[in-house]
Amino acid sequence: PLGAGQFTYHLADEEARINVNTAPPDRLDRLLRALGLEKSERDTIVSSIPDWRDANDDHRLNGAESDDTYLKLPVPYRARNGNLESTSELLQIKGVTPAIFKGTDGRLGLADLLTVGTPGQVNLNTAGLLVLRTLGLADSEISEIEQARRSAPYTVVPGRFAGRGLSVTTKTFKVEAEGLIGGQVRARLTAVVQRRVEGNLATV
């Protein structure tokens, strides 16, 4: 409760997700394959994301740039030619449909699995099955991880998982908050924050 209304908030680990700005093409392809996309769909998205980010106007084989694609749309716009600033920006990129972004029929979408605001490593203690699979871990390795962290969190990345882009701590979080009056949402705020450790004091 807050005054005449209420507020709710949710805190999520951003480093349990894949950073779309730093992920190599093979990692993005594994993620899209895990979501059940056909090869032609995967090829389009995997080519179009780096085209959106790079500074030149030369599109990849299955990709898209401003002059050949985005400026020809009914509502034209230009590719960013830089890193994505929000995962919702994916909806502007060729091949990414609302269903792929949000998920359908109870299945996860890119909005649930990707981020733009982390150093790039994934927290071994909080990452879900699809994210671990995207990092190239086998199902047997994922089962081992899930079983081990039920007992206690990893304090170091085991040597056999080294070089997979994993860490065991997080400093980047997403905070989603809503303000309600009479049961109706009147305000909504989403922020990505990073924890800085200064001496013994943690700040955001």
Side-chain angles (χ1 to χ4, degrees):
L2 178 65
Q6 297 173 309
F7 75 93
T8 66
Y9 68 91
H10 178 256
L11 183 68
D13 182 0
E14 278 292 278
E15 293 179 36
R17 303 176 179 221
I18 301 293
N19 189 325
V20 67
N21 288 321
T22 60
D26 62 327
R27 186 170 295 176
L28 291 173
D29 185 70
R30 282 196 297 269
L31 175 61
L32 297 171
R33 191 185 313 137
L35 291 176
L37 271 65
E38 299 292 336
K39 187 177 187 305
S40 59
E41 297 175 296
R42 301 198 312 267
D43 288 347
T44 296
I45 295 172
V46 169
S47 293
S48 297
I49 288 175
D51 277 344
W52 181 267
R53 293 176 53 241
D54 66 29
N56 64 56
D57 293 321
D58 301 322
H59 70 81
R60 290 162 175 76
L61 178 62
N62 299 291
E65 288 284 357
S66 299
D67 290 339
D68 59 66
T69 301
Y70 302 120
L71 290 176
K72 294 181 179 180
L73 296 173
V75 180
Y77 54 87
R78 290 188 175 275
R80 178 171 292 281
N81 292 338
N83 283 339
L84 281 73
E85 296 182 357
S86 168
T87 53
S88 61
E89 203 172 315
L90 286 162
L91 288 166
Q92 297 178 266
I93 295 177
K94 181 183 177 183
V96 180
T97 65
I100 293 172
F101 181 71
K102 297 179 182 178
T104 55
D105 301 324
R107 300 181 66 178
L108 298 176
L110 296 180
D112 304 299
L113 302 165
L114 294 177
T115 183
V116 299
T118 68
Q121 290 189 309
V122 171
N123 190 333
L124 180 62
N125 289 308
T126 56
L129 183 149
L130 289 182
V131 169
L132 293 173
R133 188 172 289 162
T134 297
L135 294 175
L137 276 72
D139 286 347
S140 59
E141 294 175 314
I142 296 171
S143 295
E144 176 187 340
I145 290 169
E146 290 181 325
Q147 183 174 354
R149 67 190 186 186
R150 287 192 196 103
S151 301
Y154 286 95
T155 56
V156 296
V157 177
R160 60 190 175 284
F161 300 138
R164 307 286 188 95
L166 291 163
S167 68
V168 294
T169 59
T170 291
K171 65 178 182 179
T172 313
F173 302 89
K174 177 182 284 186
V175 183
E176 297 176 297
E178 290 184 338
L180 303 91
I181 297 178
Q184 299 295 315
V185 176
R186 299 298 181 89
R188 182 177 287 114
L189 173 68
T190 300
V192 174
V193 298
Q194 285 194 332
R195 181 172 59 91
R196 300 192 308 271
V197 178
E198 300 173 356
N200 294 323
L201 179 66
T203 61
V204 294

